[in-house]
Amino acid sequence: MKIAHKSRSEMIAETRGKLIAAARRAFATVGYANASMDDFTAEAGLTRGALYHHFGDKKGLFEAVVAQIDREMSLRLNAISAKARTRWQGFVDENIAYVEMALEPEIQRIVLRDGPAVLGDPAQWPNANACILSITSNLVALKEEGVIRDIDPEAMARLISGASLYAAQWIAISDDPGATSTKAVKAFRTLMEGLLVDNKSAA
């Protein structure tokens, strides 16, 4: 009977996946500062040496966890905008959904609270430019369709990105995230609707 052996790349991917999964659970449960490298390497059945080899240190592993969650968030947001009747509605739904994701405990703790403390300003994270480009391209198309006012798309994209991030962080650190989210979403929706040309509806 022939035994199938895993390739080196498969073994590397498996090791990285185990470490990321164990660290993600720890970071979500006890936070970055209290997460023990020994605990999550033991949970993954691996050693500290494996962690250092693949991620450099605890911060490198945290960065990989944030990147994984960010990819998942992007896929979810893309699916939300794709279901909308119009480009405008999809654009609004996607941005509001991002703000509302701050209510999810894992995103709240890892991405919005510990993320900036460990990795610095989110505007400087690797995915930030892709986010700005996506918002800009939507605004360019909406402007060409005559849906929104004659504004500079990149400038407005940066303002929208900043507003949604700040709103999400406000929710994440609030004593009452649910109530704060309700207020933030209502204000953010009003802000977005201010982009519409006078004769367009917000629907």
Side-chain angles (χ1 to χ4, degrees), residues 8-30:
R8 176 171 168 74
S9 61
E10 287 175 325
M11 291 175 68
I12 289 172
E14 185 177 295
T15 298
R16 287 178 61 87
K18 285 180 179 179
L19 283 167
I20 289 172
R24 182 168 172 169
R25 284 189 290 272
F27 293 144
T29 306
V30 299

Side-chain angles (χ1 to χ4, degrees), residues 155-176:
M156 185 52 67
R158 292 184 180 279
L159 292 174
I160 290 171
S161 177
S164 60
L165 173 61
Y166 192 87
Q169 289 178 319
W170 179 36
I171 294 164
I173 64 172
S174 172
D175 292 332
D176 187 346

Side-chain angles (χ1 to χ4, degrees), residues 13-199:
E14 185 177 295
T15 298
R16 287 178 61 87
K18 285 180 179 179
L19 283 167
I20 289 172
R24 182 168 172 169
R25 284 189 290 272
F27 293 144
T29 306
V30 299
Y32 178 82
N34 295 319
S36 162
M37 288 194 290
D38 289 331
D39 286 346
F40 51 64
T41 51
E43 183 187 333
L46 298 164
T47 64
R48 271 201 185 207
L51 187 158
Y52 294 138
H53 175 72
H54 290 284
F55 300 101
D57 55 16
K58 180 180 172 183
K59 181 179 177 181
L61 180 52
F62 180 77
E63 193 168 6
V65 169
V66 170
Q68 183 183 72
I69 296 172
D70 182 70
R71 285 193 297 273
E72 292 169 5
M73 290 170 69
S74 293
L75 289 173
R76 289 170 60 190
L77 293 171
N78 289 340
I80 287 168
S81 63
K83 288 190 296 186
R85 291 186 303 108
T86 64
R87 185 189 299 277
W88 168 254
Q89 193 58 57
F91 183 60
V92 173
D93 290 349
E94 182 177 349
N95 279 279
I96 294 227
Y98 172 81
V99 174
E100 291 178 331
M101 282 180 180
L103 290 172
E104 298 177 26
E106 185 183 56
I107 292 172
Q108 189 179 107
R109 183 156 208 168
I110 296 177
V111 179
L112 297 169
R113 288 165 58 188
D114 284 350
V118 178
L119 303 177
D121 181 7
Q124 304 303 317
W125 291 2
N127 69 316
N129 282 339
C131 178
I132 296 296
L133 286 172
S134 175
I135 297 173
T136 301
S137 65
N138 270 304
L139 290 171
V140 167
L142 288 165
K143 185 177 173 181
E144 288 173 350
E145 292 170 6
V147 175
I148 62 171
R149 298 169 187 271
D150 184 17
I151 45 87
D152 182 280
E154 184 188 355
M156 185 52 67
R158 292 184 180 279
L159 292 174
I160 290 171
S161 177
S164 60
L165 173 61
Y166 192 87
Q169 289 178 319
W170 179 36
I171 294 164
I173 64 172
S174 172
D175 292 332
D176 187 346
T180 302
S181 177
T182 299
K183 290 190 290 185
V185 167
K186 184 178 180 181
F188 190 78
R189 191 181 295 278
T190 301
L191 189 72
M192 295 283 282
E193 289 173 356
L195 294 172
L196 293 167
V197 295
D198 294 338
N199 62 342

